Amino acid sequence: MGEHIGAWAKRLRPAVDAGEPTCTRETVRRATDQVGDLPVAWAVGVAADIVQGNAFPDLAGVGLKGPQVLRSAIESIVISTLLAIEADGHPPAQLPPEAEAHLVDLVHRRVPLDLLLTHQRRIHSQLADHFMGGCRSQVTVPDLAASLEHVSHVLFEFADTFATMTAESYTAENERFLRSTAAARYETVLTLLAGEGSAAAASRQLAYPLTNAYHIGLVLHPATSPSHTADHLDKVARSLLRGIGADAHLVVSVDRTEAWAWGAFKARPPREEPLLPGGSDVMVGMASPHRGVQGFRRTHEEALDAARVGALGMPSTADASVVRYDEVRLLSLLIADPDKAARFVRDELGALGSSAGSAQVLRRTVRVYLDCHGSPQEAAKELQVAKNTVIYRVKRAEELLGRSVRDSQLELHAALRLAELFPDLDDTAH
């Protein structure tokens, strides 16, 4: 062969634009220095394809940025494999930092090691398909057999070494975590939420009143990339709870992408407008107050639902906000099954459900028009446009719907509200 056996890796090119890398700048810089920009973009696309094409709920978690953290971990492994195939073929001496950080999150979420290794084997199988395909696309027939053998050898050694390193790192972190007070608090809270255990004993262990108090639950997610530690979510939660006058605070960090919090009140608290501390990049789901141990569980469920609506409805991934359950209660019911909700929106809105900007303007106009009981004048004031503009937009919306906006108003209004949570309706069919 006229070039070293892995040189073809430098000729890899991305099939589609997968967006910006989710790995650290240092990881990307090191890879770009060795193989160039386009092969790294190919690796970024492979990681995105693996994450988007598969269901990894145990690995991604439920946090707002959980899928991004998972993608970063997989991306770092794809890049490490790419560099080894292009160079000496040997895996790194330790897990990439992105994969190591993700493993810590999984330990804290109590994901079992055997489940993690099972998912790792699935990911490795798909990784092999991508690298084998890339090799076949870049290597001529006379050299193909030797190149494929090289790829197979590297992938086998990587799978074996990464599984060993994962098990060793998991065991070490699990032992450290189990000795921590955070683990004991988390396990106690999980027991309470499952309706088990002694409330009196849990109250003593958590130093938090459970039985004779009203509780307001919070669920917090970073609105941007989770570069902060879990302490950041803890500080934001305590600041919010102090702001609404809670007599006692309980904050449990799930991982870097999610924290749960409760505030206890001696009497039923008035409805306060919570304020995020300045500079916070956090999205918060906030529940209504409920009393006693059962209220402790119910307020947490409401906070989870509010956070889920907030995650779907954020107009920008950099928006920090507090989403109150009492303001999105109906929406939380409607999106309990997101796939069914998206299908309902497409079926109900038809062409009006397009993700085009013009359709979004029409949908908002119709929603406001219905909120104003069909008054073009009131809707015009709300939208700050001319009355005739509202009339024109409603007529255009009816053309796209194929019916009057006054027909099946309940279903139409629900679909319009849901459409605000699914702005890219054309992309939700999968």
Side-chain angles (χ1 to χ4, degrees):
M1 296 178 66
E3 57 184 8
H4 69 276
I5 197 166
W8 59 268
K10 287 188 174 182
R11 299 194 294 271
L12 289 169
R13 302 293 183 264
V16 296
D17 181 9
E20 293 296 317
T22 56
C23 280
T24 64
R25 292 181 180 178
E26 175 57 26
T27 296
V28 175
R29 183 200 60 76
R30 179 171 55 85
T32 301
D33 287 348
Q34 179 177 326
V35 298
D37 292 334
L38 292 177
V40 173
W42 177 86
V44 170
V46 168
D49 183 71
I50 291 174
V51 173
Q52 293 170 4
N54 296 271
F56 295 118
D58 303 295
L59 299 190
V62 297
L64 184 60
K65 291 297 176 179
Q68 181 176 325
V69 172
L70 170 61
R71 177 174 159 178
S72 176
I74 294 177
E75 194 175 282
S76 69
I77 293 173
V78 179
I79 289 175
S80 295
T81 309
L82 172 67
L83 299 185
I85 287 175
E86 193 278 330
D88 58 9
H90 297 296
Q94 58 189 23
L95 290 172
E98 297 86 349
E100 183 74 38
H102 184 235
L103 185 144
V104 171
D105 289 340
L106 298 179
V107 170
H108 292 191
R109 290 212 311 270
R110 316 311 294 141
V111 174
L113 176 59
D114 58 348
L115 182 59
L116 170 57
L117 293 175
T118 297
H119 282 315
Q120 197 174 74
R121 286 191 290 271
R122 280 179 58 197
I123 292 168
H124 173 77
S125 175
Q126 295 172 66
L127 195 61
D129 291 341
H130 282 283
F131 274 103
M132 291 293 189
C135 181
R136 292 189 183 94
S137 70
Q138 299 299 327
V139 179
T140 58
V141 173
D143 301 325
L144 185 58
S147 294
L148 288 174
E149 184 179 355
H150 171 65
V151 172
S152 179
H153 173 76
V154 172
L155 289 170
F156 177 82
E157 187 175 358
F158 261 64
D160 184 59
T161 302
F162 274 22
T164 300
M165 290 192 295
T166 296
E168 291 175 349
S169 293
Y170 184 100
T171 300
E173 176 60 27
N174 191 50
E175 290 177 353
R176 187 203 66 77
F177 180 65
L178 289 177
R179 292 194 299 268
S180 69
T181 57
R185 288 162 62 84
Y186 184 48
E187 293 295 340
T188 299
V189 166
L190 289 179
T191 300
L192 279 171
L193 294 176
E196 303 169 356
S198 164
S203 195
R204 288 193 300 271
Q205 183 176 357
L206 297 171
Y208 179 85
L210 289 166
T211 53
N212 297 316
Y214 285 89
H215 307 281
I216 289 182
L218 307 176
V219 170
L220 300 89
H221 298 152
T224 55
S225 180
S227 55
H228 298 290
T229 64
D231 290 342
H232 178 65
L233 296 179
D234 184 293
K235 290 177 182 177
V236 173
R238 293 184 188 280
S239 174
L240 278 171
L241 293 171
R242 284 194 300 269
I244 60 175
D247 299 307
H249 307 158
L250 172 62
V251 183
V252 176
S253 296
V254 180
D255 59 21
R256 289 175 300 155
T257 70
E258 183 167 12
W260 303 341
W262 289 263
F265 300 80
K266 296 174 183 176
R268 184 178 184 87
R271 194 180 192 279
E272 300 281 355
E273 288 303 324
L275 293 175
L276 284 169
S280 298
D281 59 345
V282 175
M283 196 283 294
V284 183
M286 181 176 179
S288 301
H290 298 285
R291 184 173 174 80
V293 179
Q294 185 175 355
F296 179 86
R297 301 185 192 106
R298 181 177 172 185
T299 198
H300 177 65
E301 292 172 358
E302 290 184 359
L304 286 172
D305 287 341
R308 192 174 299 115
V309 174
L312 285 172
M314 290 172 67
S316 164
T317 55
D319 280 350
S321 60
V322 177
V323 180
R324 304 187 65 123
Y325 177 76
D326 58 5
E327 296 175 352
V328 297
R329 184 168 49 187
L330 177 59
L331 285 177
S332 73
L333 293 173
L334 294 174
I335 65 167
D337 187 328
D339 289 336
K340 287 184 178 179
R343 287 199 298 272
F344 167 76
V345 173
R346 287 194 298 271
D347 292 344
E348 185 67 24
L349 299 185
L352 185 59
S354 167
S355 59
S358 57
Q360 294 180 31
V361 171
L362 294 179
R363 289 199 297 271
R364 181 165 186 266
T365 300
V366 173
R367 182 181 63 77
V368 173
Y369 175 76
L370 293 176
D371 287 341
C372 294
H373 308 289
S375 168
Q377 187 170 350
E378 292 301 316
K381 289 181 182 178
E382 177 72 20
L383 295 167
Q384 296 184 335
V385 298
K387 175 183 173 181
N388 287 341
T389 300
V390 172
I391 294 172
Y392 169 78
R393 289 178 183 175
V394 170
K395 182 177 179 181
R396 175 62 183 143
E398 289 178 333
E399 292 173 356
L400 295 175
L401 283 170
R403 59 182 172 82
S404 169
V405 297
R406 296 182 180 277
D407 295 340
S408 305
Q409 286 189 41
L410 177 61
E411 290 82 357
L412 176 58
H413 196 275
L416 291 169
R417 291 288 284 126
L418 284 170
E420 295 173 359
L421 302 183
F422 297 98
D424 299 319
L425 292 172
D426 296 341
D427 301 326
T428 56
H430 67 278

